[in-house]
Amino acid sequence: MATKMITLRTAVTQLGLLLQKFPRSSMLNQNAVITRCMHFNYVPETPAKEFGETTRMNLFQSITSALDIALAKDSSAVLFGEDVAFGGVFRCSVGLKDKYGADRVFNSPLSEQGIVAFGIGIALTGATAIAEIQFADYIFPGFDQLRNEAAMYRYRSGNEFDCGRLTIRAPCSAVGHGSLYHSQSVEAFFAHCPGLKVVTPRGPVQAKGLLLACIRDNNPCIFLEPKILYRSAVEEVPVGDYMLPLSKAEVVLEGTDVTLIGWGTQVHVLKEVAGLAQQKLNVSCEVIDLRTVLPWDRDTIMQSVKKTGRVLISHEAPITMGFGAELAASIQQECFLHLEAPIERVCGYDTPFPHVYEVFYMPDKWRCIEAIKKLVSF
């Protein structure tokens, strides 16, 4: 015991000496805290000038701004979910209860099925429902309501009734330390549900414009927010009201040799991959952000593939029956005679999302650059 205590005292002393070498201000550097778990470099984007005045926002602040505008301009709109009234676990609804009252911004019971069902009921009356599922990993108790009620209501009534103006928000994907129950990407489950729209933004400017478009769309929408971007993604965001088109992919970076397709966080990985490919392989990559997973933009994807002849699809979800499989099948059907190599997919593995092994699970830039090497050397 005495030996262990001496060893412990020695370790504490050494730690103290080590800490004295670093100023306290550098240890508390906010950027270092934000980026410590990131597997990508975030490069801010500039919004279109037509959207007007901008201010600096991170992603969760841009979400708050969109919710604020939606509540202000639509008196029927309500916002609800677990802990939403005090701002939510990611602070996306801070101050909205005080501004719009407890009858429009309120907490729900701890029941995802109840949250979705309540949202469907509100939307059926013609009002606007904005529901938050605290983590996308816990959306599955509400899957029955989303699949069998929200997605089908318009069809089953012959378009006489619908539950449009229903938006379900949910934080999703890897965050660096989320492990099994706080890291999942669930878009492929809902891409199999005709009647829903499934949207994932890549940054603050995109998040605000796409969320406002979802809230005002006449179909139920699932809006998946990559949680690692909440504080790490910072841009100049238009302060006013604007919308970005749903079901329209965006060519983020033009290229001639390989088409890289992703959505959400993975777009930033692919942008970095494109830079590496140009620098190290002299390969020009075209990067496309799908943005809307369902219904997806076939025209933009096919035009790019016919130009480049090579395709890499990358997403965090497991590879088997991930949405990349649908993209690959559609591309080979329509662009088969234009392809110069088999389509490559770099995705998560077919395992539960790991904790300490997350770095090996992620479809990072190194796995993607190896796939590009295969594409150009085929």
Side-chain angles (χ1 to χ4, degrees), residues 256-259 301-311 330-343:
T256 57
D257 299 327
V258 183
T259 297
I301 299 296
M302 302 309 172
Q303 288 173 12
S304 177
V305 174
K306 289 176 182 177
K307 176 175 66 173
T308 65
R310 297 176 178 87
V311 186
S330 298
I331 290 168
Q332 74 84 27
Q333 183 179 38
E334 189 163 331
C335 303
F336 182 76
L337 296 179
H338 296 270
L339 292 174
E340 301 290 342
I343 297 168

mmCIF file of all heavy atoms in Angstrom, residues 256-259 301-311 330-343:
data_model
loop_
_atom_site.group_PDB
_atom_site.id
_atom_site.type_symbol
_atom_site.label_atom_id
_atom_site.label_comp_id
_atom_site.label_asym_id
_atom_site.label_seq_id
_atom_site.Cartn_x
_atom_site.Cartn_y
_atom_site.Cartn_z
ATOM 1 N N THR A 256 -13.841 16.369 -62.982
ATOM 2 C CA THR A 256 -13.996 15.685 -64.267
ATOM 3 C C THR A 256 -13.724 14.187 -64.230
ATOM 4 O O THR A 256 -14.098 13.476 -65.158
ATOM 5 C CB THR A 256 -13.035 16.311 -65.301
ATOM 6 O OG1 THR A 256 -11.682 16.228 -64.805
ATOM 7 C CG2 THR A 256 -13.388 17.767 -65.554
ATOM 8 N N ASP A 257 -13.073 13.682 -63.165
ATOM 9 C CA ASP A 257 -12.590 12.296 -63.184
ATOM 10 C C ASP A 257 -13.405 11.320 -62.338
ATOM 11 O O ASP A 257 -13.578 10.166 -62.725
ATOM 12 C CB ASP A 257 -11.131 12.244 -62.728
ATOM 13 C CG ASP A 257 -10.218 13.045 -63.631
ATOM 14 O OD1 ASP A 257 -10.497 13.097 -64.848
ATOM 15 O OD2 ASP A 257 -9.242 13.633 -63.130
ATOM 16 N N VAL A 258 -13.863 11.752 -61.175
ATOM 17 C CA VAL A 258 -14.595 10.873 -60.260
ATOM 18 C C VAL A 258 -15.722 11.662 -59.605
ATOM 19 O O VAL A 258 -15.516 12.811 -59.190
ATOM 20 C CB VAL A 258 -13.683 10.284 -59.158
ATOM 21 C CG1 VAL A 258 -14.468 9.322 -58.259
ATOM 22 C CG2 VAL A 258 -12.475 9.569 -59.754
ATOM 23 N N THR A 259 -16.896 11.058 -59.496
ATOM 24 C CA THR A 259 -18.025 11.656 -58.768
ATOM 25 C C THR A 259 -18.050 11.114 -57.349
ATOM 26 O O THR A 259 -18.098 9.900 -57.147
ATOM 27 C CB THR A 259 -19.355 11.345 -59.463
ATOM 28 O OG1 THR A 259 -19.364 11.933 -60.766
ATOM 29 C CG2 THR A 259 -20.529 11.891 -58.663
ATOM 30 N N ILE A 301 -27.267 13.656 -60.152
ATOM 31 C CA ILE A 301 -26.341 12.532 -59.977
ATOM 32 C C ILE A 301 -25.975 11.932 -61.334
ATOM 33 O O ILE A 301 -24.790 11.713 -61.645
ATOM 34 C CB ILE A 301 -26.963 11.459 -59.071
ATOM 35 C CG1 ILE A 301 -27.259 12.024 -57.672
ATOM 36 C CG2 ILE A 301 -26.060 10.234 -58.987
ATOM 37 C CD1 ILE A 301 -26.045 12.445 -56.898
ATOM 38 N N MET A 302 -26.966 11.652 -62.158
ATOM 39 C CA MET A 302 -26.707 10.979 -63.430
ATOM 40 C C MET A 302 -25.883 11.853 -64.378
ATOM 41 O O MET A 302 -25.001 11.346 -65.084
ATOM 42 C CB MET A 302 -28.020 10.567 -64.088
ATOM 43 C CG MET A 302 -28.892 9.648 -63.239
ATOM 44 S SD MET A 302 -28.008 8.208 -62.581
ATOM 45 C CE MET A 302 -29.257 7.527 -61.482
ATOM 46 N N GLN A 303 -26.153 13.140 -64.396
ATOM 47 C CA GLN A 303 -25.375 14.037 -65.250
ATOM 48 C C GLN A 303 -23.903 14.023 -64.859
ATOM 49 O O GLN A 303 -23.012 14.003 -65.720
ATOM 50 C CB GLN A 303 -25.936 15.461 -65.162
ATOM 51 C CG GLN A 303 -27.271 15.642 -65.859
ATOM 52 C CD GLN A 303 -27.872 17.007 -65.606
ATOM 53 O OE1 GLN A 303 -27.204 17.910 -65.097
ATOM 54 N NE2 GLN A 303 -29.141 17.179 -65.942
ATOM 55 N N SER A 304 -23.646 14.015 -63.567
ATOM 56 C CA SER A 304 -22.264 13.993 -63.092
ATOM 57 C C SER A 304 -21.570 12.687 -63.454
ATOM 58 O O SER A 304 -20.432 12.678 -63.922
ATOM 59 C CB SER A 304 -22.225 14.212 -61.576
ATOM 60 O OG SER A 304 -20.898 14.123 -61.087
ATOM 61 N N VAL A 305 -22.264 11.569 -63.224
ATOM 62 C CA VAL A 305 -21.669 10.258 -63.496
ATOM 63 C C VAL A 305 -21.376 10.093 -64.989
ATOM 64 O O VAL A 305 -20.333 9.544 -65.372
ATOM 65 C CB VAL A 305 -22.588 9.136 -62.997
ATOM 66 C CG1 VAL A 305 -22.048 7.763 -63.403
ATOM 67 C CG2 VAL A 305 -22.729 9.202 -61.477
ATOM 68 N N LYS A 306 -22.269 10.560 -65.841
ATOM 69 C CA LYS A 306 -22.044 10.456 -67.288
ATOM 70 C C LYS A 306 -20.836 11.289 -67.715
ATOM 71 O O LYS A 306 -20.181 10.979 -68.702
ATOM 72 C CB LYS A 306 -23.301 10.904 -68.036
ATOM 73 C CG LYS A 306 -24.449 9.910 -67.920
ATOM 74 C CD LYS A 306 -25.717 10.429 -68.580
ATOM 75 C CE LYS A 306 -26.860 9.424 -68.401
ATOM 76 N NZ LYS A 306 -28.137 9.933 -68.987
ATOM 77 N N LYS A 307 -20.542 12.321 -66.942
ATOM 78 C CA LYS A 307 -19.375 13.158 -67.235
ATOM 79 C C LYS A 307 -18.077 12.500 -66.754
ATOM 80 O O LYS A 307 -17.082 12.487 -67.485
ATOM 81 C CB LYS A 307 -19.546 14.533 -66.580
ATOM 82 C CG LYS A 307 -18.331 15.448 -66.748
ATOM 83 C CD LYS A 307 -18.589 16.832 -66.182
ATOM 84 C CE LYS A 307 -18.757 16.815 -64.669
ATOM 85 N NZ LYS A 307 -18.831 18.176 -64.109
ATOM 86 N N THR A 308 -18.085 11.942 -65.528
ATOM 87 C CA THR A 308 -16.842 11.447 -64.933
ATOM 88 C C THR A 308 -16.582 9.964 -65.218
ATOM 89 O O THR A 308 -15.441 9.536 -65.341
ATOM 90 C CB THR A 308 -16.858 11.651 -63.417
ATOM 91 O OG1 THR A 308 -17.905 10.841 -62.832
ATOM 92 C CG2 THR A 308 -17.081 13.117 -63.058
ATOM 93 N N GLY A 309 -17.634 9.153 -65.261
ATOM 94 C CA GLY A 309 -17.483 7.730 -65.520
ATOM 95 C C GLY A 309 -17.038 6.906 -64.329
ATOM 96 O O GLY A 309 -16.900 5.673 -64.434
ATOM 97 N N ARG A 310 -16.817 7.524 -63.197
ATOM 98 C CA ARG A 310 -16.392 6.806 -61.989
ATOM 99 C C ARG A 310 -17.141 7.370 -60.787
ATOM 100 O O ARG A 310 -17.353 8.584 -60.696
ATOM 101 C CB ARG A 310 -14.890 6.933 -61.767
ATOM 102 C CG ARG A 310 -14.040 6.308 -62.880
ATOM 103 C CD ARG A 310 -12.560 6.559 -62.651
ATOM 104 N NE ARG A 310 -11.751 5.931 -63.684
ATOM 105 C CZ ARG A 310 -11.442 6.496 -64.841
ATOM 106 N NH1 ARG A 310 -11.894 7.722 -65.119
ATOM 107 N NH2 ARG A 310 -10.691 5.856 -65.724
ATOM 108 N N VAL A 311 -17.507 6.489 -59.836
ATOM 109 C CA VAL A 311 -18.376 6.915 -58.733
ATOM 110 C C VAL A 311 -17.889 6.341 -57.408
ATOM 111 O O VAL A 311 -17.602 5.134 -57.303
ATOM 112 C CB VAL A 311 -19.835 6.462 -58.949
ATOM 113 C CG1 VAL A 311 -20.743 7.039 -57.854
ATOM 114 C CG2 VAL A 311 -20.330 6.851 -60.323
ATOM 115 N N SER A 330 -29.222 2.367 -59.003
ATOM 116 C CA SER A 330 -29.828 3.288 -59.974
ATOM 117 C C SER A 330 -28.794 3.807 -60.970
ATOM 118 O O SER A 330 -29.079 3.936 -62.166
ATOM 119 C CB SER A 330 -30.479 4.468 -59.241
ATOM 120 O OG SER A 330 -31.522 4.024 -58.394
ATOM 121 N N ILE A 331 -27.591 4.084 -60.473
ATOM 122 C CA ILE A 331 -26.535 4.599 -61.352
ATOM 123 C C ILE A 331 -26.137 3.559 -62.387
ATOM 124 O O ILE A 331 -26.006 3.860 -63.577
ATOM 125 C CB ILE A 331 -25.323 5.052 -60.516
ATOM 126 C CG1 ILE A 331 -25.655 6.327 -59.728
ATOM 127 C CG2 ILE A 331 -24.110 5.289 -61.415
ATOM 128 C CD1 ILE A 331 -24.638 6.690 -58.672
ATOM 129 N N GLN A 332 -25.954 2.306 -61.945
ATOM 130 C CA GLN A 332 -25.530 1.290 -62.910
ATOM 131 C C GLN A 332 -26.629 1.000 -63.939
ATOM 132 O O GLN A 332 -26.350 0.661 -65.077
ATOM 133 C CB GLN A 332 -25.078 0.016 -62.197
ATOM 134 C CG GLN A 332 -26.160 -0.858 -61.606
ATOM 135 C CD GLN A 332 -26.784 -1.804 -62.608
ATOM 136 O OE1 GLN A 332 -26.145 -2.188 -63.585
ATOM 137 N NE2 GLN A 332 -28.037 -2.177 -62.363
ATOM 138 N N GLN A 333 -27.884 1.162 -63.540
ATOM 139 C CA GLN A 333 -28.982 0.930 -64.470
ATOM 140 C C GLN A 333 -29.038 2.008 -65.548
ATOM 141 O O GLN A 333 -29.258 1.726 -66.731
ATOM 142 C CB GLN A 333 -30.308 0.864 -63.722
ATOM 143 C CG GLN A 333 -31.501 0.562 -64.622
ATOM 144 C CD GLN A 333 -32.810 0.488 -63.843
ATOM 145 O OE1 GLN A 333 -33.025 1.251 -62.914
ATOM 146 N NE2 GLN A 333 -33.668 -0.444 -64.207
ATOM 147 N N GLU A 334 -28.831 3.244 -65.142
ATOM 148 C CA GLU A 334 -28.996 4.360 -66.074
ATOM 149 C C GLU A 334 -27.689 4.768 -66.759
ATOM 150 O O GLU A 334 -27.713 5.304 -67.866
ATOM 151 C CB GLU A 334 -29.593 5.569 -65.342
ATOM 152 C CG GLU A 334 -30.000 6.696 -66.268
ATOM 153 C CD GLU A 334 -30.935 7.691 -65.604
ATOM 154 O OE1 GLU A 334 -31.687 7.285 -64.700
ATOM 155 O OE2 GLU A 334 -30.906 8.864 -66.000
ATOM 156 N N CYS A 335 -26.549 4.502 -66.104
ATOM 157 C CA CYS A 335 -25.273 5.006 -66.616
ATOM 158 C C CYS A 335 -24.274 3.889 -66.928
ATOM 159 O O CYS A 335 -23.070 4.142 -67.017
ATOM 160 C CB CYS A 335 -24.639 5.955 -65.607
ATOM 161 S SG CYS A 335 -25.665 7.359 -65.154
ATOM 162 N N PHE A 336 -24.752 2.673 -67.083
ATOM 163 C CA PHE A 336 -23.865 1.520 -67.227
ATOM 164 C C PHE A 336 -22.832 1.718 -68.336
ATOM 165 O O PHE A 336 -21.639 1.455 -68.160
ATOM 166 C CB PHE A 336 -24.690 0.260 -67.498
ATOM 167 C CG PHE A 336 -23.871 -0.991 -67.613
ATOM 168 C CD1 PHE A 336 -23.354 -1.607 -66.497
ATOM 169 C CD2 PHE A 336 -23.623 -1.542 -68.862
ATOM 170 C CE1 PHE A 336 -22.591 -2.756 -66.601
ATOM 171 C CE2 PHE A 336 -22.865 -2.698 -68.986
ATOM 172 C CZ PHE A 336 -22.348 -3.308 -67.850
ATOM 173 N N LEU A 337 -23.254 2.193 -69.493
ATOM 174 C CA LEU A 337 -22.351 2.330 -70.630
ATOM 175 C C LEU A 337 -21.380 3.499 -70.480
ATOM 176 O O LEU A 337 -20.442 3.632 -71.269
ATOM 177 C CB LEU A 337 -23.152 2.476 -71.922
ATOM 178 C CG LEU A 337 -24.009 1.262 -72.302
ATOM 179 C CD1 LEU A 337 -24.780 1.541 -73.584
ATOM 180 C CD2 LEU A 337 -23.144 0.014 -72.455
ATOM 181 N N HIS A 338 -21.595 4.331 -69.458
ATOM 182 C CA HIS A 338 -20.690 5.464 -69.201
ATOM 183 C C HIS A 338 -19.651 5.129 -68.135
ATOM 184 O O HIS A 338 -18.690 5.885 -67.964
ATOM 185 C CB HIS A 338 -21.492 6.690 -68.748
ATOM 186 C CG HIS A 338 -22.446 7.211 -69.790
ATOM 187 N ND1 HIS A 338 -22.095 8.168 -70.720
ATOM 188 C CD2 HIS A 338 -23.737 6.885 -70.052
ATOM 189 C CE1 HIS A 338 -23.133 8.426 -71.508
ATOM 190 N NE2 HIS A 338 -24.142 7.659 -71.114
ATOM 191 N N LEU A 339 -19.840 4.044 -67.399
ATOM 192 C CA LEU A 339 -18.951 3.720 -66.282
ATOM 193 C C LEU A 339 -17.626 3.155 -66.774
ATOM 194 O O LEU A 339 -17.588 2.258 -67.622
ATOM 195 C CB LEU A 339 -19.623 2.732 -65.332
ATOM 196 C CG LEU A 339 -20.823 3.259 -64.537
ATOM 197 C CD1 LEU A 339 -21.479 2.131 -63.740
ATOM 198 C CD2 LEU A 339 -20.391 4.386 -63.594
ATOM 199 N N GLU A 340 -16.535 3.676 -66.208
ATOM 200 C CA GLU A 340 -15.188 3.208 -66.523
ATOM 201 C C GLU A 340 -14.659 2.235 -65.464
ATOM 202 O O GLU A 340 -13.595 1.640 -65.650
ATOM 203 C CB GLU A 340 -14.236 4.411 -66.619
ATOM 204 C CG GLU A 340 -14.619 5.438 -67.671
ATOM 205 C CD GLU A 340 -14.432 4.921 -69.090
ATOM 206 O OE1 GLU A 340 -13.704 3.935 -69.272
ATOM 207 O OE2 GLU A 340 -15.021 5.513 -70.019
ATOM 208 N N ALA A 341 -15.390 2.084 -64.354
ATOM 209 C CA ALA A 341 -14.964 1.198 -63.268
ATOM 210 C C ALA A 341 -16.186 0.855 -62.426
ATOM 211 O O ALA A 341 -17.189 1.587 -62.439
ATOM 212 C CB ALA A 341 -13.903 1.883 -62.398
ATOM 213 N N PRO A 342 -16.153 -0.266 -61.689
ATOM 214 C CA PRO A 342 -17.262 -0.586 -60.782
ATOM 215 C C PRO A 342 -17.450 0.513 -59.735
ATOM 216 O O PRO A 342 -16.483 1.144 -59.292
ATOM 217 C CB PRO A 342 -16.806 -1.898 -60.120
ATOM 218 C CG PRO A 342 -15.797 -2.473 -61.045
ATOM 219 C CD PRO A 342 -15.106 -1.309 -61.682
ATOM 220 N N ILE A 343 -18.681 0.751 -59.352
ATOM 221 C CA ILE A 343 -18.992 1.760 -58.343
ATOM 222 C C ILE A 343 -18.403 1.342 -57.000
ATOM 223 O O ILE A 343 -18.523 0.183 -56.581
ATOM 224 C CB ILE A 343 -20.517 1.946 -58.220
ATOM 225 C CG1 ILE A 343 -21.074 2.457 -59.553
ATOM 226 C CG2 ILE A 343 -20.869 2.909 -57.084
ATOM 227 C CD1 ILE A 343 -22.586 2.394 -59.641
#
